[in-house]
Every structure is written in structure tokens, then in C-alpha cells.
Amino acid sequence: MKTVEAFKKLWPERLAALSVESEEDMRKMIVVELNDELTHPRVRKTKQQKLELAVKRIEESELDDQEKEDLISFYRKVAAQID
């Protein structure tokens, strides 16, 4: 659950993130993010580009080091599952 709380802190302005209650909810949101599903198909970025942007956002956030490490690991795990 610590990862879920870190995810919510990473996206404080994203209403959908506030509704995340479990790692499965978080995984679903990350899949949508990495697949760039909310962007028009002609301007979508690749999964790798989206993963790099997510990792950069996490690294530059004010989360503590353990939260950053846990979230980055979770994002990479989800990315590997959807390739």
C-alpha cells in the first residue's frame, strides 16, 4: 500500500489517481498512461518514451528515495508485462 500512497502523492492534481485504492487500480492507470491511450493516435508516444517520462517525473518528485525506487520498479514491471 505504500506504493499506492506514493503514486497518489506523485499525481496530486489527477482526480483518477485519488481514487486508486489498490496496486491493481494503480496498475490499470499505469497501463493507460504507458499506452498513451488518452492521446490522439497520431501523436501518441511509444511505451518506452512514456516510461522514460514517468521515471523522470518520479526522480524529480519530492517523494523519498524508497518511494521513488518502489514506484520506478512498479512502472518497469508493468511496462515489461504489456510489451
Side-chain angles (χ1 to χ4, degrees), residues 8-83:
K8 288 180 177 185
K9 286 195 276 185
L10 183 66
W11 300 106
E13 302 297 322
R14 192 182 277 186
L15 291 177
L18 298 177
S19 68
V20 170
E21 297 295 327
S22 67
E23 284 191 356
E24 181 58 26
D25 292 344
M26 186 172 69
R27 188 191 74 74
K28 289 175 184 176
M29 281 195 65
I30 291 172
V31 167
V32 169
E33 179 183 352
L34 294 178
N35 286 328
D36 211 6
E37 294 176 13
L38 303 178
T39 303
H40 191 280
R42 287 188 296 210
V43 293
R44 285 185 180 151
K45 293 179 172 38
T46 66
K47 286 180 195 95
Q48 186 59 38
Q49 289 171 316
K50 292 298 287 187
L51 179 60
E52 289 170 13
L53 289 170
V55 168
K56 183 177 179 181
R57 179 180 174 92
I58 294 166
E59 289 173 342
E60 293 175 353
S61 74
E62 294 183 10
L63 298 173
D64 68 43
D65 290 341
Q66 187 61 52
E67 290 173 322
K68 289 178 184 182
E69 187 178 309
D70 291 347
L71 264 182
I72 290 170
S73 175
F74 196 87
Y75 263 84
R76 287 189 172 137
K77 183 174 102 176
V78 171
Q81 291 171 347
I82 60 174
D83 278 343

